[in-house]
């Protein structure tokens, strides 16, 4: 039972990390097309990752969750 719980948690973490990565790269592409400020399309000098888009995505998730908590919305439904 414990092994299954550990595997479930690690798979959920991997899925959320993958989803975050996809959204950050999508936001970067949208910024490159000119629909968002061009600063959002910046990539990390050493790693080449879309770090600015990742921060934008993280902040937007925190804001949306805060609004859901303030309104009292159930995130499951």
């Amino acid at each position: 039972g414990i092994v299954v719980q550990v595997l479930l948690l690690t798979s959920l973490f991997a899925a959320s990390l993958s989803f975050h990565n996809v959204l950050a790269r999508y936001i970067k592409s949208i910024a490159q097309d000119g629909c968002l400020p061009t600063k959002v399309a910046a990539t990390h000098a050493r790693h080449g990752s879309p770090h600015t888009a990742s921060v934008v995505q993280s902040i937007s998730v925190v804001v949306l969750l805060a609004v859901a908590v303030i309104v009292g919305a159930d995130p499951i439904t």
Side-chain angles (χ1 to χ4, degrees):
I2 296 203
V3 171
V4 171
Q5 289 178 354
V6 168
L7 290 173
L8 177 65
L9 287 176
T10 56
S11 67
L12 288 173
F13 176 73
S16 64
L17 185 62
S18 173
F19 187 66
H20 177 85
N21 184 28
V22 168
L23 283 178
R25 293 184 184 278
Y26 189 67
I27 290 169
K28 177 185 177 285
S29 295
I30 291 174
Q32 284 177 334
D33 289 342
C35 296
L36 291 174
T38 55
K39 290 183 179 183
V40 176
T43 56
H44 194 271
R46 185 175 2 148
H47 304 294
S49 61
H51 68 288
T52 309
S54 177
V55 170
V56 168
Q57 195 261 334
S58 296
I59 291 171
S60 64
V61 166
V62 168
V63 168
L64 289 174
L65 283 175
V67 168
V69 167
I70 290 170
V71 173
D74 186 9
I76 305 300
T77 59

